[in-house]
Amino acid sequence: MIDWTEIPNGDSWELFARDFLAELGFVIDIGPGRGADAGRDLVVSEQLRGRLRTKKFTWLVSCKNFAVSDKSVGPDQENNITDRLKQHDADGFIGFYSTVPSSGLVERLQRLEKSGDIAAFEIFDRKKIEGHFIDTGMSKLALRYFPTSYARMRPIQKFFGKYEEILCDVCGTDALAKSVRTPYYSNLVLASPINNHRRYESLHVVCKGDCDQKLQALLYKKGFITQWEDIGDLVNPILFLKNMLTYMNILHDREKEFSDEAHQRMKNIYVSLAQRTLREVNKEDEKRLVDLGEVEGL
């Protein structure tokens, strides 16, 4: 999904690692820089929280960009790990790689952790990094470093500073996040009383299969019939627009009735779906929205 060769060199890869880890909430203690770095690309930290106190945990981050050759990162490319950690007063080791670690490197890190020479290690390989792009709404970061791949990904955005999820009413799975990797995973279900097909009393989101069957059985027992639409279709930009216009026409022509609860749920779902279907929101867009005082009306 992501073309890692869009980042052309090691310097840019270190800058990307810095911004990516900052997005995840790490504090950047020492950022990338040119010149001799004694085996250090970055030093980052986080606060480990216990019941009574917190403790700072420091990570040495080693950045390797082998995207062009597509070679794995082996033990020969990660020399003297324990010495490097001691020199920079770090507790753990993070490998931040555009490819994957070799089995030999992983085994060495496991031995060092087991012997207590390092407190912990973590590997951010290309698949793990890609997963964060898809699932946590790092759309601005993707646009900055991978503009060509961004156009293909259409990652989830955060319009108002936070991610608006769409949870399955039965199991709690985030249907919107699932739609990126598995487009046709869940349904939007509209429930009407059996004796009044014109009125939609409630809206539901469910995973297909067991969750859908459980919801249908529950609604039928309460005296409702259902219609459904595929969430995978609703994140298609054209079909998203068509669905919104259809909904507006239904309200205007009074073909159907929606309860207050159903109408509010529909609006919330449209806002969530827009995080995947609309273009990136820039600073000018955000400022204009605030200036017009439109946020509260959504």
Side-chain angles (χ1 to χ4, degrees), residues 52-210:
L52 299 177
R53 58 180 298 183
T54 62
K55 176 187 177 182
K56 182 178 180 180
F57 192 96
T58 302
W59 296 89
L60 175 82
V61 184
S62 179
C63 304
K64 305 293 183 196
N65 182 10
F66 295 165
V68 174
S69 66
D70 201 33
K71 292 181 179 179
S72 63
V73 181
D76 291 342
Q77 285 80 45
E78 293 291 10
N79 296 315
N80 305 318
I81 292 174
T82 54
D83 291 341
R84 289 156 60 191
L85 263 68
K86 289 176 183 177
Q87 181 172 351
H88 298 292
D89 200 23
D91 305 298
F93 174 86
I94 291 177
F96 196 88
Y97 306 145
S98 60
T99 54
V100 295
S102 70
S103 58
L105 176 57
V106 173
E107 289 170 2
R108 176 197 283 181
L109 290 167
Q110 289 173 338
R111 288 196 302 271
L112 291 173
E113 184 179 39
K114 187 175 181 179
S115 66
D117 291 317
I118 61 175
F121 76 91
E122 186 68 44
I123 300 295
F124 285 90
D125 60 21
R126 58 191 175 193
K127 285 298 181 185
K128 181 173 284 190
I129 297 168
E130 188 175 90
H132 280 284
F133 270 127
I134 291 170
D135 296 337
T136 58
M138 294 186 181
S139 56
K140 287 182 172 62
L141 199 63
L143 180 60
R144 190 187 320 157
Y145 286 99
F146 305 99
T148 302
S149 299
Y150 174 87
R152 294 194 303 270
M153 283 193 303
R154 280 192 299 141
I156 296 171
Q157 306 175 48
K158 299 176 186 176
F159 283 150
F160 305 113
K162 66 175 183 176
Y163 169 58
E164 300 292 344
E165 58 196 3
I166 306 178
L167 302 182
C168 171
D169 287 4
V170 176
C171 72
T173 295
D174 186 351
L176 185 61
K178 276 284 186 181
S179 73
V180 179
R181 297 177 183 272
T182 313
Y184 300 102
Y185 184 86
S186 54
N187 288 331
L188 172 66
V189 178
L190 298 88
S192 302
I194 291 176
N195 58 1
N196 186 0
H197 296 186
R198 291 187 65 254
R199 179 176 175 82
Y200 292 123
E201 196 64 44
S202 60
L203 268 69
H204 307 271
V205 174
V206 286
C207 307
K208 293 181 180 180
D210 289 343

